[in-house]
Amino acid sequence: MGVLRAATINSPTTYYEGQAGATGYQYELVKGFADALGVELEIDVHSSTSGTLGAVRRGRAHVSVGAVVITPKRQRRYQFTHPVIDVVPQLVYRRGSRRPRNAGDIEGKLLVPAGSESAEYLQTLKKTWPNLQWEETEEFDVEALLVKVAEGEIDFTVGASDVIAINKRYYPKLRVAFDLSRPQNVAWAFRLQEDRSLFNRAQHYLSSVSESDINRLRDRYFGHVKHVNYFGAMKLAQHVETRLPKYRRLFEKAAAKYELDWLLLAAIGYQESHWDSAAVSPTGVRGIMMLTRQTAKFLDVQNRRDPAQSIMGGARYIRRLIDLIDADVPEPDRTWLALSAYNLGYGHLRDVRKLTEIRGGDSRRWIDVQENLPLLTQPRWHKKTRYGYARGHEAKTYVGNVRTYYDMLVYLLDDGTRSGSVLEAEAIPSEAELRPEGPLNIRSPVL
């Protein structure tokens, strides 16, 4: 079997090693390409995007999937595929400091990775703002520089909007000052050479991936990054220190019993009550997992305010909801659908899945179902359902919040000892398979 070697960087938008193995938006796409070609995928990790391009240029890798933005300078040296995502370059500063309104308003230390597209954007801006100054570093990548801005070690940096949005969840003091340009295309980069067979196969493969599958992947990695504001993120970090230690073992025990990820269970508990065992809603639901009286009775929970009973009951309930959903629904969609049912009831979930099918969507996919949830508030739609009106907007927000809290808890607490979560393991869709048009022999590049 041949080998496809892909050069990339460690990033939440490209490639990283999760508890269940390799994952990432770009990784899933290129893994699907390798599978379609019938070859093994080798990942060649570099510290910068320019490093991945250098590996391609020197023949050490077949393709760069390292979040490469297409620029005029790069187009003279590489072949670029169809765009796989669009990003906006943005100037980032620290909350509480003065926000610059344009490039001429920047006062302080601006640091960007050497040889990056950020440096190219700044070179272009300097033609309009000749006093613009910045420094370039080979020591730190964009994410490391974002941390330095958040901690006040430097004043500014420049990064892509997708990376910034994800990191703002973990470093809520990060703020975007302004966009440096219009949206830019990110694509795979190949070496300029006469033999374009592999490049052509990549083009054909990317064209073969359906729009719905691309949207599903984007939703998985980027669809929930805008949930939870600055104050919500700060409060979660505080409660991880002050409240969670009292209940962590209860979450772990309940999750183990019902074969759940304890961090997911903790995220549900945080969304429900902020880990407050005395919490009571205006509608009478109570406790850490905010169980209704009816649900508590069904789950044999005698005291909803008892943390151990509430958490065990909540774990049993979400496990039951996951198991009720059709076996052909893949993860993580299965869990997202179950979470919406935890919020609005399983009957309403069945209703909205039927509405999704009526409107031509895929009821197995959360990205399709969530778009139809608001219809449950509209008489012309909910009167067609068995269970009628429901606050679908609330359920959509609920799932987004839990997903965000889960990601933040993984970042803050995962010590590498928990078992892999199904929420971190999903392969590129099988619909994207590519039939080879002719003989193609891929071997490892000469090192």
Side-chain angles (χ1 to χ4, degrees):
M1 178 181 285
V3 173
L4 175 70
R5 194 169 199 192
T8 189
I9 57 175
N10 278 308
S11 166
T13 64
T14 53
Y15 161 85
Y16 61 95
E17 287 288 336
Q19 288 299 310
T23 189
Y25 177 77
Q26 293 269 18
Y27 171 80
E28 292 201 26
L29 283 175
V30 77
K31 179 64 168 64
F33 180 42
D35 291 345
L37 293 173
V39 301
E40 292 184 359
L41 176 66
E42 285 187 3
I43 294 295
D44 180 26
V45 181
H46 293 260
S47 60
S48 66
T49 296
S50 59
T52 69
L53 291 172
V56 169
R57 186 174 65 253
R58 293 188 297 272
R60 294 177 176 268
H62 295 106
V63 58
S64 167
V65 295
V68 185
V69 173
I70 301 174
T71 66
K73 182 178 178 180
R74 288 172 175 171
Q75 284 180 307
R76 292 193 291 269
R77 308 184 75 175
Y78 305 95
Q79 299 178 93
F80 286 98
T81 63
H82 304 302
V84 296
I85 198 169
D86 291 338
V87 299
V88 178
Q90 297 175 320
L91 181 77
V92 180
Y93 71 108
R94 189 173 188 267
R95 183 178 182 271
S97 60
R98 190 178 70 87
R99 174 188 177 184
R101 301 294 175 177
N102 54 50
D105 200 23
I106 298 174
E107 295 181 359
K109 186 174 183 178
L110 168 56
L111 191 61
V112 298
S116 64
E117 56 270 13
S118 298
E120 289 189 44
Y121 296 137
L122 293 173
Q123 287 286 359
T124 301
L125 285 175
K126 192 172 178 65
K127 297 175 183 177
T128 304
W129 308 96
N131 292 328
L132 176 63
Q133 300 291 326
W134 69 91
E135 298 177 32
E136 299 184 27
T137 176
E138 296 187 357
E139 185 177 356
F140 302 107
D141 62 11
V142 171
E143 287 200 283
L145 293 178
L146 289 172
V147 175
K148 287 185 172 297
V149 172
E151 296 179 348
E153 295 181 25
I154 60 175
D155 299 296
F156 309 100
T157 193
V158 174
S161 53
D162 55 350
V163 175
I164 292 169
I166 289 173
N167 278 274
K168 281 173 67 178
R169 291 179 296 168
Y170 311 132
Y171 304 101
K173 290 189 177 182
L174 293 175
R175 283 290 183 271
V176 174
F178 57 84
D179 298 344
L180 274 68
S181 77
R182 293 175 296 179
Q184 303 292 303
N185 297 141
V186 172
W188 294 353
F190 287 81
R191 187 179 182 181
L192 276 175
Q193 55 187 6
E194 291 185 9
D195 184 358
R196 293 168 55 93
S197 59
L198 183 58
F199 172 80
N200 291 337
R201 293 290 174 82
Q203 289 282 64
H204 184 72
Y205 165 76
L206 291 173
S207 298
S208 301
V209 182
S210 71
E211 183 178 357
S212 64
D213 286 331
I214 286 292
N215 288 338
R216 178 174 59 83
L217 280 180
R218 288 177 178 173
D219 175 73
R220 181 184 178 196
Y221 289 100
F222 315 118
H224 58 297
V225 296
K226 294 183 180 179
H227 289 270
V228 183
N229 61 19
Y230 167 77
F231 296 103
M234 291 295 289
K235 190 167 286 293
L236 172 67
Q238 175 187 344
H239 287 162
V240 164
E241 298 291 333
T242 60
R243 294 184 180 181
L244 183 58
K246 293 184 291 184
Y247 307 119
R248 174 168 178 165
R249 290 192 179 279
L250 296 178
F251 282 121
E252 291 175 334
K253 181 180 179 181
K257 181 174 181 178
Y258 291 104
E259 298 182 339
L260 298 167
D261 184 336
W262 85 267
L263 293 179
L264 174 67
L265 193 60
I268 297 172
Y270 191 77
Q271 168 63 23
E272 292 289 349
S273 67
H274 283 201
W275 302 322
D276 179 1
S277 62
V280 182
S281 83
T283 58
V285 294
R286 298 173 182 270
I288 286 182
M289 304 305 284
M290 296 297 272
L291 303 175
T292 66
R293 189 184 301 276
Q294 182 179 7
T295 301
K297 183 178 180 180
F298 170 76
L299 297 170
D300 196 28
V301 173
Q302 304 299 318
N303 182 358
R304 289 180 288 166
R305 288 192 174 181
D306 177 74
Q309 291 187 48
S310 181
I311 292 171
M312 191 64 73
R316 181 183 174 193
Y317 189 39
I318 189 64
R319 178 74 265 168
R320 175 176 171 79
L321 292 170
I322 293 172
D323 291 343
L324 280 172
I325 295 171
D326 310 294
D328 66 338
V329 177
E331 288 290 2
D333 300 78
R334 188 184 187 89
T335 296
W336 305 151
L337 292 172
L339 285 174
S340 69
Y342 193 104
N343 177 256
L344 52 69
Y346 183 69
H348 289 304
L349 174 64
R350 291 181 63 185
D351 283 346
V352 76
R353 291 185 68 194
K354 289 180 179 178
L355 290 179
T356 301
E357 292 176 355
I358 290 171
R359 303 184 74 224
D362 187 344
S363 65
R364 301 174 307 155
R365 299 300 187 185
W366 170 245
I367 190 173
D368 287 356
V369 173
Q370 71 168 342
E371 293 307 312
N372 290 282
L373 276 167
L375 299 182
L376 295 179
T377 66
Q378 301 176 23
R380 66 182 290 252
W381 290 105
H382 69 65
K383 69 181 181 181
K384 299 178 180 180
T385 67
R386 178 178 179 181
Y387 294 94
Y389 172 89
R391 291 178 293 180
H393 295 88
E394 180 181 301
K396 183 177 179 179
T397 300
Y398 177 92
V399 176
N401 285 351
V402 172
R403 290 174 65 178
T404 297
Y405 290 140
Y406 171 78
D407 281 357
M408 295 174 72
L409 290 174
V410 169
Y411 178 82
L412 292 169
L413 295 171
D414 189 9
D415 59 5
T417 60
R418 69 190 179 102
S419 59
S421 170
V422 293
L423 307 184
E424 298 171 337
E426 181 183 11
I428 190 71
S430 59
E431 300 95 298
E433 289 181 357
L434 173 66
R435 293 282 184 263
E437 299 170 346
L440 177 66
N441 183 24
I442 299 181
R443 299 185 178 87
S444 299
V446 177
L447 301 180

